[in-house]
């Protein structure tokens, strides 16, 4: 089975490399008006998202992991975790400790590779997988390339592949041009009102 990151894909986003794709997909579970619903709004859609995302993540790592079962209490924790991670991406100072610590386990593969394995059940398992990938991304220096589109009506999470990591739009053609157009209209309005006689 090839990896399909459904939450990111529905917004037309290329996936981040390695395990950061899981973090990106998790952040893209948020709804964007006119484009997609919040996939963590109810247990049915959250369960379906987890099935796909954990399937893709597991396929990428060459393992066979089942997604955790999620109930309403898990969803509230997952949404809070999403807010905390979103804040990190937006470079906001972490408020308090978010939803609290979760555990992970070290495992040694047959190839002699040390792996950080998620542990716990429900939301904790997913949070454990997400924090593990963020940790790896921070050490690989790829984490700072995870960004949220500056178009506030969009805000989708993308991986910035620009040379100097200067991207601010998930897609310059759509969100970037719309913003530039608004800015140039505003400048023109300002210029017109300044030039208009009283
Ligand atoms: Zn955008």
């Amino acid at each position: 089975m090839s990896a399909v990151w459904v939450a990111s894909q529905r917004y037309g986003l290329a996936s981040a490399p390695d395990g950061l794709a899981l973090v990106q997909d998790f952040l893209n579970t948020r709804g964007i008006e006119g484009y997609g619903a919040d996939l963590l709004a109810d247990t049915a859609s959250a369960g379906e998202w987890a099935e796909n995302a954990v399937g893709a993540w597991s396929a990428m790592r060459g393992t066979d992991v089942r997604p955790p079962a999620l109930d309403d209490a898990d969803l509230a924790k997952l949404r809070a975790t999403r807010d905390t991670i979103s804040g990190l991406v937006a470079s906001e100072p972490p408020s308090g400790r978010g939803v609290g610590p979760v555990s992970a386990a070290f495992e040694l593969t047959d190839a002699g590779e040390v792996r950080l394995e998620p542990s716990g059940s429900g939301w904790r398992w997913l949070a454990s997988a997400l924090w593990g990938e963020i940790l790896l991304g921070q050490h690989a220096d790829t984490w700072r390339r995870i960004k949220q589109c500056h178009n506030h009506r969009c805000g989708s999470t993308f991986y910035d592949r620009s040379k100097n990591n200067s991207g601010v739009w998930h897609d310059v053609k759509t969100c970037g041009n719309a913003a530039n157009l608004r800015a140039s209209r505003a400048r023109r309005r300002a210029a017109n009102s300044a030039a208009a006689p009283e």
Side-chain angles (χ1 to χ4, degrees), residues 83-98:
D83 289 344
T84 301
I85 299 176
S86 270
L88 277 185
V89 172
S91 302
E92 288 162 11
S95 55
R97 287 205 227 155

Side-chain angles (χ1 to χ4, degrees), residues 146-167:
I146 290 282
K147 298 180 180 180
Q148 271 160 352
C149 182
H150 276 211
N151 176 358
H152 292 292
R153 278 178 230 170
C154 173
S156 65
T157 302
F158 66 101
Y159 186 79
D160 186 1
R161 285 183 166 80
S162 69
K163 216 175 217 170
N164 52 0
N165 195 32
S166 60

